[in-house]
Amino acid sequence: MIMSPVDQIAELFDSAAARDYLGEPVTVAAHLLQAGALARAAGAPAALVAAALLHDVGHLRGADPAVAEPSGRELMAGSDNRHGERGAAWLAQWFGEQVTEPVRLHVAAKRYLCAAEPSYFALLSQASVYTLSVQGGPMSPAEAREFEALPYAAGAVAVRRWDDQAKDPSVAVPGFEHFRALLGEFILNG
Ligand code: FE
């Protein structure tokens, strides 16, 4: 049986890896649903809501033994799993750059914000501070200028800020079903 793209994504949100915490007070699934809900509440365009919802699919894909990719657990064990790039490459089979580029760049956006905003680092969770060291640390001024010039830099920074906020265990998160229509329409209409 061929699964629809939205069903394939739903399956990832329902996987054992999605129930993992990866050093945060919320599961990966709750984190992603919370990020999507924050983007939606902010009135973000559909592409950015989708990007926020899907930004960590690289962690989930990597946990599937049938997929020869490193998981979020490997990142937490100290080796960069390049989950932004891997997640974006998987999503590119259905979504355009408006979705995949912010996903691909959400780790770079953390490294960028550490360089560009002196107050940003203090907002990071302990796990994010740890992974920052694995992911290359804050950008140099030259790297930050290069990042700013990328066409989807602003979208990636927006996703990053929702990402950082989406770790609140006291917030009730909507179910994946809540985003089905948005994802489905986006896949059909680009
Ligand atoms: Fe995240």
Side-chain angles (χ1 to χ4, degrees):
M1 196 188 81
I2 298 169
M3 281 173 90
S4 76
V6 178
D7 282 339
Q8 289 184 55
I9 295 167
E11 191 178 61
L12 275 186
F13 274 72
D14 209 29
S15 64
R19 293 189 286 276
D20 228 328
Y21 285 81
L22 298 185
E24 303 290 359
V26 294
T27 64
V28 176
H31 168 60
L32 294 176
L33 291 165
Q34 209 175 121
L38 285 165
R40 185 174 255 176
L48 278 189
V49 176
L53 176 73
L54 301 171
H55 74 272
D56 280 339
V57 292
H59 284 326
L60 302 180
R61 290 260 307 154
D64 181 344
V67 179
E69 290 180 8
S71 69
R73 283 198 178 184
E74 281 162 82
L75 173 62
M76 296 310 290
S79 92
D80 186 2
N81 65 348
R82 300 181 63 79
H83 70 282
E85 289 86 347
R86 291 176 189 280
W90 184 67
L91 293 167
Q93 58 187 320
W94 308 301
F95 296 95
E97 286 185 343
Q98 291 156 295
V99 175
T100 61
E101 280 297 278
V103 170
R104 185 176 73 83
L105 294 170
H106 82 275
V107 173
K110 173 173 70 170
R111 300 182 55 228
Y112 165 74
L113 284 166
C114 284
E117 282 182 14
S119 58
Y120 175 75
F121 182 82
L123 302 174
L124 291 176
S125 69
Q126 222 179 346
S128 280
V129 170
Y130 167 69
T131 56
L132 175 68
S133 69
V134 178
Q135 292 158 336
M139 285 183 174
S140 68
E143 284 175 317
R145 279 193 299 276
E146 225 173 277
F147 176 86
E148 276 169 356
L150 295 173
Y152 292 95
V157 164
V159 167
R160 184 72 224 180
R161 293 193 198 278
W162 295 314
D163 179 357
D164 293 323
Q165 287 169 50
K167 301 175 176 184
D168 185 345
S170 70
V171 167
V173 289
F176 180 80
E177 300 306 311
H178 196 76
F179 295 100
R180 261 186 186 273
L182 176 135
L183 292 179
E185 264 175 56
F186 215 83
I187 286 168
L188 285 175
N189 306 324

